[in-house]
Structure formats: C-alpha cells, structure tokens
Amino acid sequence: MKRRHFISLSALAAPMLAGLGISSCNTATSGNEVAEHPNFNDFKYNEKSISELQQLMAEGKLTCEELVIEYLDRIEKIDKNGPGLNSVIDINHDALPLARQLDEERKSGDLRGALHGIPILLKDNIDTADKMMTTAGSFALEGNFASEDAFIVKQLRKSGALILGKTNLSEWANFRSTRSSSGWSGRGGQTHNPYVIDRSPCGSSSGSGVAVAANLCVAAVGTETDGSVVCPSGHNGIVGIKPTLGVVSRTGIIPIAHSQDTAGPMAKSVRDAAILLEVMSGADQNDKITLNKKNKALNYSANLKKDALKGKRIGIVRAMMGFHSEVDKIIEQAIEDIKSAGAEVIDVELENLNQYSNEEYEVLLYEFKHDLNEYLSKCKFPIVKSLDDIIKFNEQYKDREMPWFGQEILEMANQKGDLNEKEYLEALAKSKKLSGELGIDYTLKKYNVDALMAPTNGPAWNIDLVNGDHYGGGSSQPAAVSGYPNITVPTGFVHSLPIGVSFFAEAFSEEKLIQLAYSYEQNTMHRRAPEFYSTIMQ
C-alpha cells in the first residue's frame, strides 16, 4: 500500500523560482542552501503566540483589524508573490468587517473566549457558511458554498476566532492517485515548503502547515486520516496534534473515512496547539462518536510544565527509524534530551507494526465512497452528487484536473460495495484490533511506558509533479488506524529541512501527551522560522 502516509490551486503553474534576481537572506546557511530571497522574517508579528497577541490587544496596543491587515499584507507579499508559497487558496472577504466587530466587542468588555480576535486559517475541506467555497481543492466542487458552518468552525467563532481564509491541500486529501504530488490541487496548484521552496510541504494539510510556519496566520486547522496533520507539521517545523477519534467533530468536513478522519490543530508551539484543540473539541449531537463518555472536555493548555518529563517512561520505537541516517542522529539526540529532562527512555517493539496496511487501505476505499456520497447528498451544490459524478467530471476536464496524475484511487473506491460487505467488516475489525488493543495498548502495558516516540518524518523531498512524491519514512499509521492521539514537535533540521518527533499513546491521552510534548519543546526549543531558501545544491 503506497499512499497511507499522506491520506488525510486556479493557477496551475507554481511561481517560477529561478531568475528572480532577489538579494540574499541575512542569515547564515549550512553551506549548500541557495539563499536567493530577502529576509521575510522582518514581519512585525513574526512568531507571536496567541497569548502574546491577546496581551497586546488587552493593552490597547493592537486591534484585530490591524492584525488582520498585517496578515493579509503578508499573504500577498510572500504567498502570492515573493517566494510564492501558494498555501492560501481563498481569503475571507468579510475578514475586516468581522475584525471590526470583534474589536467593538472587546471595547465593550464582551470577550467571546480564548481566541477572541485571533486570525485562523482552515483547510479547504472544512465547511464555512460565508462567501468562501469548500472544495477539497477540486474544480468539481467549485461553487460549493456551505449553508452551515462545520461544528468545529462554530466552536472557533464562538471563542472569537477570526476565520481569515482557507488553505490549499493535496486534492481530495491526497486520496486520488498513487502518483500524486503532496500540496497540489486542481484549484490551487502546488504549495511550496517555506524552508526550501523546491521541497515538498507534505500533505494533505499542506497549506495549513506552510501558512503557520511562514507566519501567514497565528494557527491553522488541518485534517488527518493517516499522516495528514503530523507529516506537514513535521515538514514545516511546527506542532501538530492528531486527536483521538471523537475528541473533535467531523460534521461539515469533506471526508475520506469516518473510522480514521479527524481535524487537528497546527501551530508554532505546543501551548497554542493545545488552546486551539480546547476550542475545537466538544460534544456534537450530529456526530455521535463525540458523545463517548470517555471524551471529557479538558483545559489542555493548563498546567503545562517544563519538568513534566521528569519521572516518565518513554518507549522509543526503533523499528520506525533507520530510513535516514541524519534523522536517526536527530532522534538519538532527542532521546538524550528527554533523558536529561528526567525521563527514562526504553527500547520497545511495537506489537503488530506493519501488519495491517492492506486492511487499512481496504477500509479507506470502502468508506471514502460511502462517506463522500453521503456528504455530497447533503450539499445544495448541483453539479456533482456522487463519487461517480466526480470521476466523470475529472475525465471531462482532465486538462485542468489531471495534467500531472490520474484518479486511480477514486476509481478503485468507486468499485467497492456498501459497508455491509464481509471484506470491509473483516478489514475494519482486524486493522482496529492490531493497531489499538494488540498494538499501542499492548505495547504500553508490556513495557510499562507512558507514551511511545518515533520520528515524524524524513527530510522533505523535491517536488516532482511528473513522478509524484518520494516519501522516505514516518510513524503516523498506528495512531491513525487505531484512532489514538499523536502529537509532533520540532526536533531538529537536516540541511535546513525540519524534522519532527512524534509522541503517541492510548485513546483520550491528549492531556498527557501535550504535557510531555510541551516539556520536550521547552527543554529543546528547536522551532525556528523558515529562511525561504530556493533550493539545496552541492
């Protein structure tokens, strides 16, 4: 099975990087990065956290309107022009009026919540009841204006978040072709990694990862089926949380597979990601899995301590290493850093690792057809009403939709039957049991460890629209298939390309994992803003 790790714009050609004639960056390189861009990190609010921006607004030194204008200018400067990151697929044209409204509320002392006045970007598979479309990057859904906000968008607005726009993604959350390029969609074109522009941003939440890393917003929301939050977070040097299935509602999100899909926060710090997760989570009567009695509303950002690793036992899954020598060195250093923070690190064998890939793929194929057809049936959008319609649309407009790669995964999914078929039921039961009860749960108990750790990703590969992605390695599958939580934190660089380390554990262990990740982050502080290098050359 090839595509598991990425499952989770109208200009087709990406901005050309060569021959721009732009002066060099001010920062030093490691000797092989081509620094053709000026310093784009002179942004007034570069690397500012949610709490820092809230403090400025509370002191009257900043308004939401001013902040929105700054971010819109920055999007124009470096996303649409300059290095041409191509991470934002749509702008909320009501952003300034909404910002003024939030400022008026603040003046009157009526603060909605933790995100009051904070600009947030959403992946373009999340419904918003406004003037922005929800398309999953496909021309087939161009004109799809949702009549109702997704549940998580309602939660964000209730907390005072300003929805600044939507981000590009791997089209159909990268569940379209076995030869796709992460971060490419028909509507949005190719998104670029801000650390080295000709490198992949990973996917499918490509635009969300890039936009956060490049300081085009304060934080963003992505979605994951398998790797689509943690991989772009790792590749773009940020924090990403893939929560337990059911912590965050799936209502109003274009699906791949209900047994693995979840939205997740993407931010520059563990605390900001935790704040965003607090706001997004909640019981949704239209998504029964969120009503699980184990799913308790928690203040994930409270009680975060630098010494939280002290006395903990962390299991390192070395079977998920070995795909890149430089990544191995970084993870070995992470192990030493975790030990220095007071934790014990134990080598573990993750039970049943790699024993359910075929079953996962079968489940995704079956559920994609069922879940997408169900989503489309509820849309007021008239052009496509089924997966079969989308396949026919792509064939009719292949010059726009399939200039680089095909839609063989859509076609395979369309051949599947309903969710009562024996093949589907057996694959679902086997994959869940081997990844969860007989996988993560068994391993945690066997070795008496608090969490498992492994590299999130390898160095970002060169974007290759002709041949597709050149994925090296990662660790997303066990937590993705089981539906358990996974958090990635920056852990170092290979030639200016960010590497992340993932912490994962049993269901509904977000609070514990966030505390461990925060402690690691604060003891190492590997996050740094991108330099926007054009390429890496010998």
Side-chain angles (χ1 to χ4, degrees):
M1 175 184 168
K2 187 183 176 190
R3 301 304 302 171
R4 68 163 180 81
H5 48 275
F6 301 130
I7 308 164
S8 77
L9 203 272
S10 50
L12 198 57
M16 298 302 293
L17 300 176
L20 291 178
I22 302 175
S23 58
S24 297
C25 295
N26 296 326
T27 54
T29 73
S30 64
N32 55 2
E33 295 86 350
V34 178
E36 294 182 354
H37 297 295
N39 182 11
F40 289 114
N41 289 324
D42 57 355
F43 177 52
K44 186 186 299 185
Y45 302 107
N46 217 48
E47 299 295 289
K48 292 294 185 184
S49 68
I50 291 172
S51 59
E52 288 173 325
L53 292 171
Q54 288 287 21
Q55 183 66 30
L56 288 173
M57 287 189 277
E59 294 172 353
K61 298 177 181 178
L62 175 67
T63 66
C64 177
E65 182 179 5
E66 290 168 346
L67 188 58
V68 166
I69 290 171
E70 290 285 345
Y71 278 119
L72 291 177
D73 286 347
R74 185 163 173 82
I75 289 170
E76 183 66 22
K77 179 181 180 181
I78 71 170
D79 197 63
K80 305 308 176 189
N81 295 288
L85 302 176
N86 215 28
S87 67
V88 179
I89 199 170
D90 205 354
I91 290 294
N92 185 352
H93 295 288
D94 291 326
L96 289 175
L98 290 170
R100 294 183 195 110
Q101 179 183 339
L102 289 166
D103 286 334
E104 288 300 318
E105 291 174 7
R106 183 181 292 274
K107 286 179 183 178
S108 64
D110 184 18
L111 294 181
R112 299 187 192 181
L115 295 179
H116 194 102
I118 300 297
I120 302 293
L121 286 169
L122 305 175
K123 187 176 180 180
D124 183 36
N125 60 351
I126 301 172
D127 285 346
T128 54
D130 51 28
K131 297 174 184 176
M132 292 186 290
M133 296 181 285
T134 306
T135 69
S138 173
F139 284 115
L141 289 185
E142 196 168 39
N144 179 35
F145 294 93
S147 57
E148 186 176 1
D149 281 339
F151 181 85
I152 62 170
V153 177
K154 293 178 182 177
Q155 296 289 90
L156 290 166
R157 294 195 203 271
K158 190 187 302 181
S159 184
L162 188 291
I163 308 302
L164 187 64
K166 293 193 177 181
T167 57
N168 195 24
L169 68 161
S170 311
E171 187 176 306
W172 296 114
N174 227 357
F175 205 65
R176 200 193 95 176
S177 172
T178 58
R179 197 170 48 79
S180 62
S181 174
S182 287
W184 185 92
S185 73
R187 279 194 65 228
Q190 179 66 53
T191 299
H192 296 265
N193 192 308
Y195 287 85
V196 181
I197 307 299
D198 65 0
R199 296 280 169 155
S200 174
C202 201
S204 61
S205 304
S206 313
S208 295
V210 170
V212 171
N215 287 276
L216 305 181
C217 59
V218 183
V221 179
T223 65
E224 175 162 329
T225 304
D226 188 340
S228 287
V229 164
V230 295
C231 187
S233 295
H235 271 223
N236 292 285
I238 63 171
V239 175
I241 303 176
K242 197 286 291 186
T244 303
L245 194 67
V247 167
V248 174
S249 169
R250 301 162 296 187
T251 301
I253 300 176
I254 298 175
I256 288 182
H258 62 267
S259 66
Q260 293 182 206
D261 285 354
T262 179
M266 302 171 74
K268 292 182 286 292
S269 70
V270 173
R271 185 181 296 277
D272 279 4
I275 292 171
L276 198 56
L277 183 60
E278 288 170 14
V279 171
M280 291 166 57
S281 61
D284 174 15
Q285 295 298 323
N286 293 317
D287 189 358
K288 301 303 181 184
I289 197 170
T290 64
L291 307 181
N292 187 323
K293 63 182 180 181
K294 295 180 181 179
N295 186 20
K296 300 177 182 178
L298 295 172
N299 187 352
Y300 296 115
S301 63
N303 301 315
L304 296 180
K305 300 176 181 177
K306 186 176 181 178
D307 65 353
L309 278 165
K310 188 175 182 179
K312 298 298 189 297
R313 288 169 56 88
I314 309 297
I316 173 66
V317 186
R318 292 190 183 275
M320 289 177 159
M321 297 171 59
F323 56 84
H324 195 287
S325 61
E326 294 302 310
V327 174
D328 286 349
K329 291 178 184 178
I330 287 172
I331 297 301
E332 293 294 350
Q333 182 59 54
I335 291 170
E336 294 306 312
D337 291 337
I338 289 170
K339 288 179 179 178
S340 296
E344 184 178 0
V345 180
I346 299 98
D347 281 23
V348 303
E349 293 184 10
L350 179 53
E351 293 293 318
N352 292 306
L353 180 64
N354 300 323
Q355 298 303 307
Y356 42 84
S357 292
N358 292 335
E359 287 78 12
E360 179 192 13
Y361 198 41
E362 283 301 313
V363 169
L364 300 188
L365 290 171
Y366 272 96
E367 292 188 2
F368 183 63
K369 178 182 179 180
H370 174 274
D371 295 357
L372 183 59
N373 285 346
E374 185 175 53
Y375 172 87
L376 292 172
S377 71
K378 297 175 182 178
C379 292
K380 295 181 179 179
F381 185 66
I383 295 179
V384 292
K385 286 296 183 183
S386 68
L387 176 57
D388 191 62
D389 288 346
I390 290 167
I391 292 170
K392 292 175 181 176
F393 178 95
N394 289 345
E395 285 293 340
Q396 183 177 357
Y397 298 100
K398 61 172 61 178
D399 58 328
R400 294 198 298 171
E401 274 296 336
M402 298 193 291
W404 301 110
F405 48 86
Q407 57 178 343
E408 57 271 22
I409 294 179
L410 300 188
E411 292 165 348
M412 285 189 286
N414 203 38
Q415 296 302 312
K416 296 297 181 182
D418 62 34
L419 301 189
N420 294 312
E421 291 199 356
K422 182 180 179 181
E423 180 184 41
Y424 163 73
L425 294 172
E426 289 181 347
L428 179 64
K430 181 178 178 180
S431 61
K432 288 294 183 185
K433 188 166 187 176
L434 292 182
S435 61
E437 178 188 348
L438 300 181
I440 293 174
D441 292 337
Y442 181 87
T443 304
L444 290 170
K445 184 176 181 180
K446 178 180 178 180
Y447 294 95
N448 187 30
V449 292
D450 295 287
L452 304 173
M453 65 174 284
T456 305
N457 59 290
W461 55 89
N462 286 89
I463 293 169
D464 187 345
L465 290 168
V466 175
N467 297 299
D469 289 331
H470 304 278
Y471 178 73
S475 57
S476 66
Q477 189 181 40
V481 177
S482 62
Y484 291 1
N486 188 4
I487 180 169
T488 180
V489 183
T491 192
F493 293 82
V494 173
H495 296 292
S496 295
L497 298 170
I499 304 297
V501 62
S502 285
F503 298 91
F504 52 103
E506 73 275 11
F508 301 105
S509 60
E510 280 82 359
E511 184 176 26
K512 172 178 67 176
L513 291 177
I514 288 169
Q515 290 173 350
L516 297 177
Y518 178 81
S519 179
Y520 173 74
E521 172 194 61
Q522 293 300 303
N523 279 284
T524 57
M525 301 300 288
H526 287 294
R527 160 72 191 171
R528 70 171 186 246
E531 305 291 352
F532 306 96
Y533 298 125
S534 292
T535 190
I536 296 176
M537 298 179 68
Q538 187 172 358

